[in-house]
């Protein structure tokens, strides 16, 4: 019984101090008296919680505020570097990482190419990479945030399946946690991007949002009522391996005609290669020694030079994306759709094709209301998504970032 009472008291104390921290975070600079009013806690409780947070290095006192009458109060704010996070995005081509502080400022950015994409080799690169970032931190670490492609069980920190690295039920969270002794949070890359867009996106705040990442792979993340929606098996937004054209191209996942084989940059490059092989006069051959050597950059050059066949290849990818966007719109009726990734330089044509598919496929009222953005978002976006995972899980701070002066993508 005594134990229980103690535990309850501790729980209430933790709850209060978390509430105080969240409020300071939200209001950027705030006095103890204002905190008591905002949280509806007593002044004594607020003072105790603040003392504890200052002791933990999470909160600091700043200059004096203004008071109508009487003594000018001391203001409190979150100590930006009171905790830092190590964040890593595992992409199919490289590792990207940085150290992020409590306000979402990134420093110590680093990248490491992945030359060998077999699962074990990727881990051999990942461990020293994380070590390097941990050493770059200038303050105590709150945790590690990792984003990766594939199906990820966030609750247990397990990569269930990542087709490109042949990872199957890899307990990545535990592996990193035991090696570095820090809490580790894992999410699918497209989920991290959606979270980052919701919290730090450059557009008007919104409660619902779909972010679709289109690069070598393809996937979506969905924010519903201000919360990342994972689905029952963390597979919400897994549209890359949705078959949209049966009997067409084989996919890495073993099926045929997945959206990823038709609308990703890999699909665009693949089509451009066969175009260059069948038509020696194609502009594409000007930008690469052989058709097999054609990469996304060569495709973009031919596209910008106005090559009609290349524009057609890109338009076709846009049409398939439009089919996916139409299905998502019919299902969720979410207006804000952000498409990012290496497809962004083809933006205007992609956007146009998606909008015209929407008009064809969904109710006009829903199609007309769509706010579609196709924009290049660098690695910082996804890294901030990884940081948001840690912040929300460890300190419950995430929903508060939007109102205070956080970074903007
Ligand atoms: Zn597939």
């Amino acid at each position: 019984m005594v134990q229980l009472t103690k535990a309850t008291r501790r729980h209430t104390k933790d709850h209060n101090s978390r509430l105080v921290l969240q409020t300071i975070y939200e209001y950027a600079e705030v006095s103890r008296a204002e905190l008591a009013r905002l949280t509806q806690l007593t002044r004594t409780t607020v003072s105790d919680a603040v003392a504890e947070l200052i002791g933990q290095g999470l909160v600091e006192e700043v200059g004096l505020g203004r008071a109508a009458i009487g003594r000018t109060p001391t203001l409190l704010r979150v100590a930006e570097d009171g905790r830092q996070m190590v964040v890593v995005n595992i992409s199919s081509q490289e590792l990207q990482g940085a150290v992020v502080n409590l306000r979402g400022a990134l420093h110590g950015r680093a990248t490491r190419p992945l030359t060998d994409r077999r699962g074990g080799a990727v881990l051999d690169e990942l461990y020293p990479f994380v070590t390097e970032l941990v050493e770059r931190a200038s303050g105590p670490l709150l945790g590690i945030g990792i984003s990766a492609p594939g199906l990820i069980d966030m609750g247990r920190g397990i990569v269930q399946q990542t087709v490109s690295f042949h990872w199957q039920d890899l307990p990545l969270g535990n592996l990193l946690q035991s090696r570095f002794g820090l809490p580790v949070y894992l999410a699918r890359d497209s989920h991290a991007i959606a979270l980052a867009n919701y919290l730090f996106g450059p557009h008007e705040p919104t409660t619902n949002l779909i972010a679709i990442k289109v690069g070598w792979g393809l996937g979506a993340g969905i924010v519903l009522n201000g919360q990342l929606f994972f689905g029952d098996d963390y597979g919400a937004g897994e549209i890359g391996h949705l078959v949209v054209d049966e009997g067409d191209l084989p996919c890495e996942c073993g099926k045929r005609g997945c959206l990823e084989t038709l609308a990703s940059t890999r699909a665009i490059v693949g089509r451009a290669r066969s175009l260059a092989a069948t038509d020696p006069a194609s502009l594409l051959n000007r930008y690469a020694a052989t058709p097999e050597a054609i990469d996304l950059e060569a495709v973009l050059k031919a596209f910008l030079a106005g090559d009609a066949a290349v524009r057609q290849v890109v338009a076709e990818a846009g049409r398939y994306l439009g089919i996916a966007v139409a299905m998502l719109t019919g299902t969720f009726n979410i207006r804000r759709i952000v498409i990012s990734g290496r497809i962004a330089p083809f933006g205007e044509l992609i956007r146009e094709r998606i909008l015209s598919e929407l008009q064809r496929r969904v109710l006009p009222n829903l199609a007309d209301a769509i706010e579609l953005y196709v924009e290049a978002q660098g690695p910082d976006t996804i890294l901030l998504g990884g940081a948001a995972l840690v912040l929300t899980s460890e300190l419950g701070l995430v929903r508060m970032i939007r109102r205070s002066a956080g970074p903007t993508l």
Side-chain angles (χ1 to χ4, degrees):
M1 205 48 159
V2 176
Q3 278 299 334
L4 191 67
T5 318
K6 252 190 186 168
T8 313
R9 226 179 275 147
R10 181 69 241 171
H11 181 80
T12 311
K13 218 173 154 218
D14 286 349
H15 173 82
N16 290 342
S17 100
R18 184 169 277 218
L19 181 62
V20 168
L21 180 64
Q22 284 170 349
T23 311
I24 298 172
Y25 202 84
E26 181 172 10
Y27 288 85
E29 288 187 358
V30 65
S31 70
R32 285 174 178 79
E34 284 166 326
L35 276 174
R37 189 174 50 80
L38 291 165
T39 58
Q40 308 214 305
L41 296 171
T42 66
R43 285 197 179 215
T44 319
T45 308
V46 165
S47 289
D48 288 350
V50 166
E52 191 181 356
L53 292 167
I54 290 177
Q56 290 169 345
L58 284 165
V59 166
E60 60 193 11
E61 291 185 329
V62 273
L64 300 177
R66 262 185 265 160
I69 21 167
R71 206 158 60 91
T72 40
T74 306
L75 296 181
L76 301 157
R77 71 174 175 207
V78 164
E80 290 189 3
D81 288 298
R83 294 291 186 280
Q84 297 182 345
M85 294 155 279
V86 161
V87 287
V88 175
N89 175 48
I90 306 172
S91 83
S92 51
Q93 270 132 11
E94 63 181 14
L95 300 176
Q96 298 145 347
V99 179
V100 185
N101 76 11
L102 291 180
R103 283 283 177 209
L106 286 91
H107 71 91
R109 288 182 184 79
T111 54
R112 182 185 289 236
L114 290 176
T115 42
D116 186 346
R117 288 165 67 210
R118 281 170 302 179
V122 174
L123 280 183
D124 289 343
E125 296 287 343
L126 180 63
Y127 293 141
F129 188 68
V130 175
T131 305
E132 198 184 302
L133 291 169
V134 166
E135 284 164 4
R136 286 182 188 193
S138 58
L141 283 168
L142 188 63
I144 300 174
I146 305 271
S147 49
L151 270 184
I152 291 176
D153 179 336
M154 230 193 114
R156 294 186 300 149
I158 292 176
V159 182
Q160 293 174 320
Q161 195 186 14
T162 289
V163 176
S164 41
F165 304 138
H166 306 287
W167 279 346
Q168 195 88 38
D169 295 322
L170 178 78
L172 188 57
N174 277 343
L175 289 173
L176 290 169
Q177 192 151 349
S178 57
R179 199 169 266 251
F180 295 98
L182 290 165
V184 178
Y185 298 94
L186 238 63
R188 227 172 82 196
D189 49 7
S190 44
H191 286 172
I193 289 175
L195 195 54
N197 268 283
Y198 171 68
L199 295 166
F200 307 112
H203 312 291
E204 277 293 291
T206 174
T207 45
N208 300 317
L209 165 154
I210 294 177
I212 306 177
K213 174 185 166 272
V214 187
W216 204 243
L218 194 161
I222 301 157
V223 173
L224 283 180
N225 298 322
Q227 303 260 338
L228 198 51
F229 178 68
F230 296 105
D232 286 338
D233 300 296
Y234 298 96
E238 179 52 282
I239 55 171
H241 297 284
L242 194 67
V243 173
V244 290
D245 195 358
E246 280 179 69
D248 208 339
L249 303 162
C251 178
E252 275 188 333
C253 74
K255 292 200 288 287
R256 281 175 179 274
C258 290
L259 185 62
E260 199 166 289
T261 65
L262 298 158
S264 63
T265 56
R266 179 170 26 173
I268 291 175
V269 169
R271 284 232 188 83
R273 284 177 184 166
S274 23
L275 197 67
T278 50
D279 178 10
S282 164
L283 261 189
L284 285 161
N285 289 310
R286 225 186 263 179
Y287 303 116
T290 62
E292 294 74 50
I294 287 169
D295 56 9
L296 194 62
E297 213 170 306
V299 180
L300 184 60
K301 281 181 186 159
F303 175 83
L304 293 174
D307 185 297
V310 170
R311 286 185 70 84
Q312 188 49 40
V313 164
V314 173
E316 191 63 0
R319 187 173 77 82
Y320 281 109
L321 277 177
I323 295 174
V325 170
M327 288 194 286
L328 290 166
T329 301
T331 310
F332 292 106
N333 174 215
I334 290 178
R335 290 180 181 173
R336 171 83 49 87
I337 296 183
V338 183
I339 295 182
S340 65
R342 296 188 69 206
I343 194 128
F346 303 101
E348 218 21 71
L349 181 57
I350 293 284
R351 196 168 174 278
E352 196 182 290
R353 293 303 303 155
I354 293 173
L355 290 175
S356 83
E357 279 312 302
L358 268 171
Q359 291 296 340
R360 285 188 54 212
R361 291 171 187 268
V362 301
L363 290 172
N365 283 359
L366 301 184
D368 292 345
I370 291 291
E371 294 168 40
L372 176 68
Y373 300 97
V374 182
E375 40 195 35
Q377 295 184 343
D380 283 5
T381 308
I382 197 161
L383 293 176
L384 283 172
L389 283 174
V390 182
L391 279 177
T392 190
S393 312
E394 285 293 305
L395 300 177
L397 290 185
V398 135
R399 306 239 4 229
M400 307 298 171
I401 297 176
R402 165 59 83 182
R403 282 185 60 176
S404 49
T408 304
L409 293 175

